[in-house]
Amino acid sequence: MVDVTKQIQETVGRFISDNQLLQHDRKYLIALSGGADSVAMFLILSDLRYSVEAIHCNFNLRGEESVRDENFCMRLCNAKNIPFHRVHFNTRDYAELHGQSIEMAARELRYRYFEQLRKDIGAADICVAHHQDDNVETILMNLVRGTGMKGLTGIRPRNGHVVRPMLCLSRSEILKYLDSIDDVWSGQRGQTYVTDSSNLVPDVVRNKIRLHVIPLLQEINPSFSQGILEMAVRLADAERVVDESLTHALEKAMLRKDVYSLDVIAQQPSPELVLFRLLSVHHFTSSQILDVAHHVGTSSTGTYWESPTHIVSVDRENLVVFSKDDEMVKTEGKRMRVPETGLYVYSPSQRFRFSVKPYKKPDDVSCSPFVASLDADLICWPLCIRHIEEGDRFVPFGMKGSKLVSDYLTDKKRNLYEKRSQLVITDASGKIVWLVWERTDNRFRVSETTRNILYISME
C-alpha cells in the first residue's frame, strides 16, 4: 500500500530542491488562512524541518466566519509550537478609498503586510499555498482577459520573495494528504481545516472559472487540466528562448542608457514584440505599445506617451525612455529664489553655488561648462532657478539676436527628456542669464568694462 503522506512530502521536497525555493538554515513566513491548501503546506514544511512562522490575515469580510478562521490558525500554531502572527484589515473601506475591487484590495493589503513582516522578523521568503489547480485557473483568467506568452505560462514557483512550494500538487492530492494524517487535536485520522464560504459563490471571475468553466471543460476532456499545465511548461521553455532573443535585440538597439535606435528595432522580425519587452515593464499598455510601434520608421519627433511611472518619446531616429521619478523630472515646476550669494540645493543631486569676485584678468573667466561667468553689475537680484517654460528666449553667448530656448535645444539635438529636465537661471526682470550647462546669455557677458564677475557653478 502506498504511503500517501510520505509520497506527497517527498514530492514537495523534490520540488523545493529542484527549484531552489527553501533552505534549512533560513527562516520563512507561511501564509496561513486555515483552508486545506495552507494547512497542508504548513504541516508539510514543518514536518520537513524548515524553520517557519505563520501569518494570518483577517480581512473582516465574513463576520463570525473570519473570527473562526483566525482562531483555528492560532490553535493550530499553538499545537505545533510555531510562532503565530496575525493582522486585521478594514478591507471594504480600503477598497472604497482606493477605488479597487474587494479582491484586489485584499491582495494588495496582504502582500504589503507580508513583505513588511518578512523584513521585521528577518525571514528569507514568504510561502503561499498556490497549487496546480490555481495555476490552471490563473492561465484561464489571463486567457479571458487577453494575454501574451507570459500570461499563458502561469504561476511561477518564485516571484521575488514569494515562493510557492505546493505548485507540484493538485487540489485532490492536497486533500488526500490531509485525509492520510492524524488530526493535531483529536489524534483521529484526517486533519481538519476550515472552508471559506466565499470561494463557493460564483461572484468573481476566478470563482466562476473554478465552479463552472473548468468542470465543463473537464467534461469535454477529463485530462484538460493536465494538458493546460503541460502547455504552460512548454511555453515557459519557449519564453526563455524568445526572452533571450529579445534581450539581444534590445542590447543591439541600445545607443546609450534608455536611448534606443528605431532603425535597429524596425529591422527585427517583430518590432512590436521588442517594444513590448522594453515598455511593458514600465507599465505602458498594449494599445500604447502598438501606437509606439506604428511610429517606428516615421519622422514624428516630439511624439510621446506616458505610463503611470515613465515617459517614452520619439526623437528623430531614436526612442527615449525615462522615469517620472528621475529628480530632473520630479522638480518640474519648482522655482527656487536666490536672494544673495551662497550655496542653494535645488534637488538632492543639483546644487548651485553663487559667488562674486573682482575681475582682474581674462583668465578669470571660467571655460568650464559647469560654471557660468557673468558681469555681476548687469544682473538684477534676486535670481531664480527653474525649468524652461514655453516661450522662453535668450541671446546665446556670441550672438546678437534672441532665440527661443526650445529652438536652441532642438538645434543641439536634445531629446524630450533632456528638454524637460533643462534648467535656466533668470534675474529679477525674468531675463535668462544662463541656460544651465549649455550657454550663458550674451547680454550679461564679461567685457572690458566688467568690474566684478558673478560665478554660478552647478555641483
Side-chain angles (χ1 to χ4, degrees), residues 8 55 58 92 106 142 160 216 226 257 281 302 317 340 360 399 404 433:
I8 289 180
I55 169 64
N58 187 334
R92 294 190 191 281
N142 291 341
L216 182 59
Q226 189 57 38
K257 186 177 183 295
V281 294
E317 299 83 22
E340 58 186 7
K360 297 179 180 178
M399 296 178 61
L404 280 170
V433 301

Side-chain angles (χ1 to χ4, degrees), residues 171-382:
R171 170 75 173 183
S172 62
E173 288 174 316
I174 289 172
L175 295 178
K176 284 179 184 177
Y177 168 78
L178 292 173
D179 287 340
S180 73
I181 62 175
D182 295 337
D183 184 79
V184 296
W185 296 292
S186 68
Q188 297 179 356
R189 183 55 56 90
Q191 173 60 50
T192 54
Y193 52 88
V194 296
T195 300
D196 183 344
S197 61
S198 65
N199 289 335
L200 306 177
V201 180
D203 59 342
V204 294
V205 174
R206 184 176 289 276
N207 285 358
K208 289 176 181 177
I209 288 174
R210 176 188 301 142
L211 300 173
H212 297 317
V213 176
I214 291 178
L216 182 59
L217 290 171
Q218 286 174 334
E219 280 185 26
I220 300 171
N221 178 8
S223 301
F224 162 77
S225 294
Q226 189 57 38
I228 285 286
L229 295 173
E230 290 173 1
M231 175 204 72
V233 171
R234 289 193 295 271
L235 285 177
D237 289 339
E239 187 194 17
R240 281 190 284 272
V241 175
V242 171
D243 197 56
E244 184 177 335
S245 175
L246 293 177
T247 299
H248 177 71
L250 285 174
E251 288 173 351
K252 187 177 179 182
M254 181 185 285
L255 302 174
R256 58 186 183 276
K257 186 177 183 295
D258 298 328
V259 180
Y260 300 85
S261 166
L262 286 173
D263 287 341
V264 174
I265 292 175
Q267 292 167 15
Q268 302 306 312
S270 174
E272 292 87 352
L273 199 54
V274 175
L275 289 170
F276 190 85
R277 171 72 164 74
L278 171 65
L279 299 177
S280 61
V281 294
H282 297 312
H283 308 104
F284 287 93
T285 65
S286 297
S287 59
Q288 284 179 311
I289 295 171
L290 284 175
D291 198 25
V292 175
H294 291 153
H295 285 75
V296 173
T298 67
S299 96
S300 51
T301 294
T303 307
Y304 70 93
W305 299 261
E306 294 192 39
S307 77
T309 59
H310 285 72
I311 297 170
V312 60
S313 70
V314 174
D315 182 68
R316 298 171 183 82
E317 299 83 22
N318 301 330
L319 197 68
V320 184
V321 184
F322 55 96
S323 169
K324 291 181 178 179
D325 282 336
D326 191 296
E327 286 178 17
M328 302 288 273
V329 177
K330 288 173 72 174
T331 53
E332 269 189 307
K334 179 178 179 179
R335 305 173 74 91
M336 175 170 279
R337 188 172 181 270
V338 182
E340 58 186 7
T341 58
L343 180 65
Y344 293 82
V345 180
Y346 187 73
S347 77
S349 66
Q350 298 166 304
R351 304 190 306 168
F352 290 87
R353 187 177 294 278
F354 297 79
S355 61
V356 175
K357 296 180 181 178
Y359 177 44
K360 297 179 180 178
K361 57 185 185 303
D363 287 348
D364 290 341
V365 178
S366 173
C367 296
S368 169
F370 308 115
V371 180
S373 302
L374 305 164
D375 190 323
D377 299 318
L378 296 177
I379 293 173
C380 299
W381 295 75

Side-chain angles (χ1 to χ4, degrees), residues 31-44:
L32 183 62
S33 68
D37 311 330
S38 67
V39 169
M41 178 177 67
F42 173 88
L43 295 172
I44 290 172

Side-chain angles (χ1 to χ4, degrees), residues 44-45 57 88 103 117 149 157 163 198 238 255 283 298 307 348 376 440 451:
I44 290 172
L45 295 187
C57 298
H88 285 236
E103 185 182 30
L117 182 61
M149 186 182 294
V163 295
S198 65
L255 302 174
H283 308 104
T298 67
S307 77
T440 56
R451 294 179 302 165

Side-chain angles (χ1 to χ4, degrees), residues 17-85:
S17 177
D18 291 345
N19 291 277
Q20 300 179 342
L21 299 182
L22 308 176
Q23 300 174 31
H24 281 96
D25 60 349
R26 305 293 300 275
K27 178 164 59 179
Y28 298 92
L29 263 178
I30 288 180
L32 183 62
S33 68
D37 311 330
S38 67
V39 169
M41 178 177 67
F42 173 88
L43 295 172
I44 290 172
L45 295 187
S46 60
D47 286 345
L48 290 175
R49 305 299 182 192
Y50 288 104
S51 175
V52 296
E53 297 186 15
I55 169 64
H56 176 80
C57 298
N58 187 334
F59 296 102
N60 291 293
L61 294 172
R62 293 175 288 117
E64 289 301 317
E65 194 175 282
S66 293
V67 176
R68 176 207 66 185
D69 294 356
E70 180 181 330
N71 290 336
F72 175 90
C73 293
M74 180 175 61
R75 290 174 55 232
L76 182 62
C77 289
N78 289 340
K80 298 291 287 185
N81 196 28
I82 287 177
F84 176 67
H85 307 270

